[in-house]
Amino acid sequence: MSPDLALGTYRCRDIPQAAVAAVACGASWIDTAPNYHHGRAQAELQPVLAGNRDLRVSTKVGFFTPDIAAAASDAGVVTPAEAASGHCLTHRYVAWQSHHNRAELGRVPDIVFVHNPEQAGRPHDAITSAFTALEAEARAGRIGGYGVATWTGFDGAFSVADLLKIATHCGGRGHHLSAIQLPVSLVMLKPVAQALEGTGPLAEATAAGLDTFISAPLHGGELPTMVTDELAQLIDPGTTPAEAALRVTAYTPGVNHVLLGSGNAQHWEAAQRVLALPPLPDKTLHEVIDVLGA
């Protein structure tokens, strides 16, 4: 089954425009965070979400802007040191930020991701604290579920098995851990190699029934200029460098949603065409890894 296209708002310059383009191309998800677009991303999405009730949305807790730090300090939910760090996953802060996320989005978020817990000095303790708060939010119906969005966390700080163990500790067998988010691209090939061997976060998440969201499939827009014509033809003859790069990410085993961070309608249409193509053979993915390394 082909993965879905979703809007990732991290680098969007015009979030409302990007959301309209995404919806027009059939995107079913928008992913955001309270610190994106100088802290304005969630509020800018509210009109689009209000006008598209079937559109699902994920947001995050963890990083915050100076304005959020000041408000959280005034509310007494972060210490001066936590406010200065720009990242916090304590129970009191996560519960407070969850309330503000919901208010800014104008609706209950479908998923709240714990954002880069590898930033914490003790990641497992930080995840436990955040999951405890988010489990309470989910049981009260204030969020749909929760997950972990990470850049490097699955490289040794924690595993999907660790997340499931912590979620079970916090919420029992009926816990609300529902998804993971991680980068997969021609620059970040390790998850591809692992998935082909039936190991790593994508395979473990699939086995556990967790949803998977892929960030930075084009590495912040840099990949199209990095992929040679020779590599593009190895991946899929006749495709452009951008299409070839997206093909590898989209058809890695275990990928459910691919986050595209563009406001350009033509980019969305091109990505939609790529995801409608037949899956790449595992043999091709192995060849790409042999050429580039994992």
Side-chain angles (χ1 to χ4, degrees), residues 24-180:
C25 277
S28 58
W29 277 92
I30 293 180
D31 180 70
T32 191
N35 62 309
Y36 289 177
H37 206 213
H38 309 291
R40 299 193 299 271
Q42 296 188 130
E44 290 179 356
L45 282 171
Q46 187 175 133
V48 178
L49 295 171
N52 296 271
R53 302 307 300 179
D54 292 336
L55 190 60
R56 305 182 76 185
V57 62
S58 52
T59 188
K60 302 178 180 72
V61 290
F63 289 109
F64 45 77
T65 63
D67 285 345
I68 296 173
S73 295
D74 290 343
V77 297
V78 294
T79 66
E82 289 165 347
S85 74
H87 186 266
C88 183
L89 291 173
T90 62
H91 185 290
R92 63 186 183 279
Y93 171 72
V94 168
W96 180 88
Q97 184 62 62
S98 181
H99 168 79
H100 282 265
N101 288 347
R102 190 168 61 256
E104 287 192 328
L105 292 169
R107 59 185 281 189
V108 170
D110 296 282
I111 296 174
V112 175
F113 287 109
V114 177
H115 204 176
N116 288 15
E118 65 269 25
Q119 294 281 329
R122 297 169 63 90
H124 285 233
D125 290 348
I127 294 168
T128 300
S129 178
F131 278 14
T132 300
L134 293 173
E135 188 64 46
E137 292 291 294
R139 289 179 183 274
R142 293 189 289 266
I143 65 174
Y146 57 88
V148 167
T150 180
W151 189 256
T152 61
F154 290 124
D155 285 337
F158 46 80
S159 65
V160 171
D162 292 331
L163 301 183
L164 289 165
K165 182 178 180 180
I166 294 170
T168 301
H169 170 76
C170 295
R173 296 183 66 180
H175 64 75
H176 289 77
L177 175 66
S178 59
I180 61 169

Side-chain angles (χ1 to χ4, degrees), residues 149-220:
T150 180
W151 189 256
T152 61
F154 290 124
D155 285 337
F158 46 80
S159 65
V160 171
D162 292 331
L163 301 183
L164 289 165
K165 182 178 180 180
I166 294 170
T168 301
H169 170 76
C170 295
R173 296 183 66 180
H175 64 75
H176 289 77
L177 175 66
S178 59
I180 61 169
Q181 184 182 133
L182 70 157
V184 177
S185 70
L186 288 174
V187 174
M188 309 286 276
L189 272 172
K190 183 176 179 180
V192 181
Q194 292 174 320
L196 290 171
E197 299 299 324
T199 63
L202 292 172
E204 293 171 8
T206 299
L210 302 181
D211 226 354
T212 59
F213 291 75
I214 304 308
S215 59
L218 297 179
H219 203 64

